[in-house]
Amino acid sequence: MSLADKLQEQPWQTEACIGHWHYDRSVFENHTYQNASFIIPFLVDIVSKNGNLLLSIPLPGHGEPDSDEIAFLGELAEWQQVNSEAIKGTRPWRVYGEGPSTGAHEVRSYQLSKIKFDHTDIRFTTKGDTLYAIALGWPTDGKILIKSLAENSETNPRQIRKVELVGSKSELNSR
């Protein structure tokens, strides 16, 4: 997988594999597949930059995923059940994100483990008139500050009418 270092004008695609590019039984036996919690922030980062992620799940010869792959897919599906509206069918916003990881240069697969996303890393997507701000980590105090959406900021000249947490039925405090 390689990551773009900025919002791309044209759609682009990158690929990742949760293990090796071919089925390797030792990856299963040693439980060394990537976790969905590692891949999800990269998926969000890629989509926010007008990209697509082609994710490979290497299958053994009999064609059925092993139990660790099933667990990975279950975790990814659970995340998608809550967050897919902020990913599927979305477009990039004026800026792709904010936070410490936005200063990163183009990254290759062997450098991925050096990137540490946290709750200050926010990525943006849009669908219609809805803007999604996706935190790439969860803060211990439960509070997230989104600087790009501050009143009178360069990136957001409009007034925010409503703030909601995807998957929740209640409105949040926008102050």
Side-chain angles (χ1 to χ4, degrees):
M1 171 179 7
S2 64
L3 298 178
D5 58 348
K6 62 185 179 236
L7 179 60
Q8 302 296 304
E9 186 177 323
Q10 294 295 315
W12 59 284
Q13 180 169 292
T14 191
E15 66 287 323
C17 185
I18 67 167
H20 295 149
W21 284 100
H22 57 87
Y23 189 78
D24 183 342
R25 185 152 184 82
S26 68
V27 174
F28 169 64
E29 291 169 346
N30 296 317
H31 307 289
T32 55
Y33 287 116
Q34 292 293 346
N35 295 320
S37 59
F38 178 80
I39 296 291
I40 288 167
F42 289 106
L43 167 65
V44 173
D45 182 74
I46 290 162
V47 170
S48 73
K49 296 173 184 168
N50 204 20
N52 297 292
L53 175 61
L54 176 64
L55 185 63
S56 176
I57 310 293
L59 298 175
H62 55 69
E64 296 289 324
D66 62 41
S67 59
D68 286 2
E69 291 171 326
I70 295 288
F72 174 94
L73 292 168
E75 189 180 344
L76 184 62
E78 189 176 302
W79 183 86
Q80 282 276 344
Q81 286 227 306
V82 174
N83 298 286
S84 65
E85 75 178 78
I87 297 295
K88 292 182 179 178
T90 61
R91 303 298 305 140
W93 190 48
R94 294 180 185 109
V95 295
Y96 75 88
E98 66 179 55
S101 66
T102 59
H105 299 290
E106 190 168 315
V107 177
R108 299 287 177 207
S109 58
Y110 61 88
Q111 301 167 313
L112 292 179
S113 62
K114 294 179 183 178
I115 296 177
K116 304 294 182 212
F117 295 116
D118 67 26
H119 69 280
T120 62
D121 289 303
I122 310 292
R123 297 298 182 265
F124 301 105
T125 61
T126 63
K127 189 184 297 178
D129 289 335
T130 302
L131 171 65
Y132 296 95
I134 308 156
L136 301 185
W138 194 257
T140 56
D141 65 0
K143 296 179 182 179
I144 293 180
L145 175 65
I146 305 174
K147 296 174 184 175
S148 298
L149 300 180
E151 197 170 321
N152 299 321
S153 76
E154 269 184 36
T155 54
N156 191 45
R158 296 174 22 187
Q159 181 180 6
I160 297 171
R161 293 188 310 242
K162 183 166 90 172
V163 178
E164 295 179 63
L165 180 63
V166 172
S168 173
K169 303 228 186 300
S170 56
E171 204 168 312
L172 303 175
N173 181 350
S174 63
R175 300 255 174 231

